[in-house]
Amino acid sequence: MNCNIAVIKGDGIGPEVVTQAMKILDAVGEKYGHTFNYEQLLMGGCSIDVHGVPLTDEAVARAKASDAVLLGSIGGNTSTSPWYKLPPEKRPEAGLLKIRKELGLFANLRPAYLYEQLKAACPLKEEIANKGFDMMIMRELTGGLYFGSRKTEEIDGVMTAVDTLTYNENEIRRIAIKGFDIAMKRRKKVTSVDKANVLDSSRLWRKIVEEVAKDYPEVTYEHMLVDNCAMQLVKDPAQFDVVLTENMFGDILSDEASMITGSIGMLASASLNETKFGMYEPSGGSAPDIAGQNKANPIATILSAAMMLRYTFDLDKEADAIEHAVKQVLIEGYRTCDIVSEGTTLVACDEMGDLIKQRI
Ligand code: NAD
């Protein structure tokens, strides 16, 4: 297969971790007979330094012309970097918002997986952590409360703020279809999370999810109220496969799910549009505190590249190979500084990349 990938290394640790992910993709290409063509684009602080804006229209056009985007991270130290003296629409993060909007990325996927070797970092009780968990939080990214109209005004001398939560059936249907499609690639279970006992938008959500579920007879599905889901995530996370939910609930639940895995440096993510196109990036930021020191954990970015192979290119076997190689280095006791513990071997960012590459 010939795969055209727009690569945005970005700022901080971005270039270090993306370089490792490209190394792994090349090893996969060599072993399984694929060609990965990379086009490097600027976004974030590095684009401000060169072009004066965090993302040029030309970079957007080139990203759109690719099959997928592999992103590191953008931004700098928000207290000391000169990028944060600029008006908000010129800062690094504005590039990220612009590219998400331009590419129509409405489905955000964040896997939360507990590695056997990293169980000690899980903040849950041992008997819960021992059962392990492997879930995909699927969050709607472009609708709901964060995009509804809002205002703050004084009514009869009292300051009053209003935010509106709007979803139409098309927005719900397209994310539900993605959720069930992804469940078909996993353990075939969807938990749709809402607040249907109170909210109209949730009642519509539930109705549309039920309609979509009819097209996926192999997938088991259930509805769960968001407050219960927040509790179940810490009580029995092993029960979840795909957790499908709207924007704000997903924002909160995906952070809760990532917290119980114990390490930000291990967490991949993907944002998809209606086609197979996606943007793949680690969940963490640009970590300016360790940037340029060859210390960062590249695993989240490497696992994001695996997600790209699985969800954009349908290369499941190749994605499995990367995930197995990552597990193997952990079993053998290699760790970057963020996950190192007694009895394990500390390695640098590029060494971790090499070790994973050798195990592909
Ligand atoms: P951060 O995720 O960059 O860092 C938080 C902590 O986690 C730091 O101690 C950092 O060293 C550590 N960390 C993060 N990723 C790591 C990795 N791969 N390996 C080892 N340690 C890792 O969050 P922050 O400090 O709040 O933000 C720093 C910058 O990143 C800010 O400019 C912020 O706006 C930006 N940011 C960008 C994105 C993105 O590009 N999508 C996301 C979040 C934050």
Side-chain angles (χ1 to χ4, degrees):
M1 186 183 257
N2 206 2
C3 308
N4 296 317
I5 303 168
V7 174
I8 303 177
K9 291 188 173 181
D11 306 315
I13 59 168
E16 299 164 56
V17 293
V18 173
T19 302
Q20 303 315 310
M22 291 164 74
K23 195 151 96 182
I24 306 304
L25 284 173
D26 289 337
V28 167
E30 209 166 292
K31 175 153 182 194
Y32 294 91
H34 307 297
T35 308
F36 296 106
N37 306 308
Y38 306 110
E39 170 153 39
Q40 304 225 17
L41 305 175
L42 294 181
M43 184 170 86
C46 55
S47 175
I48 296 173
D49 291 345
V50 176
H51 301 295
V53 287
L55 181 68
T56 61
D57 292 339
E58 195 192 335
V60 171
R62 284 167 185 265
K64 277 186 183 165
S66 68
D67 300 321
V69 179
L70 180 64
L71 169 65
S73 48
I74 51 112
N77 183 317
T78 48
S79 317
T80 57
S81 165
W83 299 327
Y84 295 92
K85 296 204 168 69
L86 297 167
E89 68 281 7
K90 295 235 166 109
R91 290 181 192 170
E93 286 70 16
L96 198 54
L97 296 179
K98 178 172 170 176
I99 201 164
R100 282 184 181 148
K101 186 160 177 257
E102 291 278 349
L103 299 176
L105 305 172
F106 67 86
N108 183 241
L109 277 70
R110 271 170 69 174
Y113 178 82
L114 186 62
Y115 286 88
E116 176 72 34
Q117 295 71 32
L118 302 180
K119 270 184 183 161
C122 172
L124 302 178
K125 276 189 182 160
E126 214 179 318
E127 69 250 34
I128 300 172
N130 278 342
K131 286 206 273 172
F133 55 83
D134 176 2
M135 73 185 95
M136 180 71 81
I137 307 279
M138 182 100 195
R139 164 188 173 193
E140 202 289 327
L141 207 54
T142 55
L145 207 49
Y146 298 171
F147 290 87
S149 60
R150 67 189 88 249
K151 67 176 173 199
T152 304
E153 61 186 342
E154 202 175 299
I155 302 176
D156 297 333
V158 180
M159 287 304 288
T160 307
V162 185
D163 295 287
T164 37
L165 200 177
T166 310
Y167 271 107
N168 68 42
E169 58 179 306
N170 299 332
E171 291 170 310
I172 301 169
R173 188 168 289 107
R174 65 182 186 176
I175 182 91
I177 290 170
K178 278 275 183 220
F180 280 81
D181 280 347
I182 288 187
M184 287 296 289
K185 282 189 175 252
R186 295 174 48 94
R187 301 196 307 281
K188 300 190 172 66
K189 182 181 174 192
V190 169
T191 303
S192 174
V193 176
D194 60 38
K195 188 72 183 167
N197 52 342
V198 180
L199 302 175
D200 261 18
S201 55
S202 282
R203 285 189 274 271
L204 182 62
W205 181 278
R206 213 173 253 222
K207 179 173 175 284
I208 303 299
V209 168
E210 278 173 13
E211 283 174 20
V212 170
K214 290 196 184 107
D215 295 331
Y216 297 83
E218 286 176 59
V219 177
T220 318
Y221 79 98
E222 62 181 351
H223 300 289
M224 189 178 279
L225 294 175
V226 61
D227 37 356
N228 185 24
C229 184
M231 291 191 283
Q232 294 299 326
L233 273 175
V234 290
K235 196 170 155 236
D236 180 19
Q239 69 183 285
F240 295 111
D241 180 16
V242 173
V243 176
L244 171 67
T245 193
E246 62 92 56
N247 202 344
M248 185 180 65
F249 298 160
D251 187 8
I252 299 166
L253 295 176
S254 62
D255 269 14
E256 186 185 358
S258 61
M259 183 61 217
I260 57 173
T261 67
S263 172
I264 188 88
M266 302 290 297
L267 296 172
S269 88
S271 303
L272 309 178
N273 70 11
E274 260 145 338
T275 69
K276 288 270 172 192
F277 186 93
M279 186 162 84
Y280 298 86
E281 58 181 309
S283 293
S286 60
D289 53 334
I290 55 164
Q293 298 171 40
N294 197 18
K295 273 182 167 177
N297 186 346
I299 292 179
T301 315
I302 290 169
L303 292 174
S304 302
M307 288 181 83
M308 178 173 74
L309 298 186
R310 196 181 298 286
Y311 296 118
T312 289
F313 299 113
D314 277 323
L315 298 174
D316 288 359
K317 185 168 56 90
E318 290 79 347
D320 286 346
I322 297 180
E323 288 165 6
H324 284 139
V326 167
K327 268 187 206 157
Q328 193 54 39
V329 293
L330 295 176
I331 289 169
E332 292 172 40
Y334 297 108
R335 305 280 189 273
T336 42
C337 65
D338 55 321
I339 50 172
V340 72
S341 58
E342 220 185 307
T344 61
T345 311
L346 177 66
V347 294
C349 179
D350 59 355
E351 284 177 287
M352 183 56 100
D354 289 338
L355 288 162
I356 295 170
K357 180 183 163 186
Q358 287 154 14
R359 283 151 188 79
I360 293 292

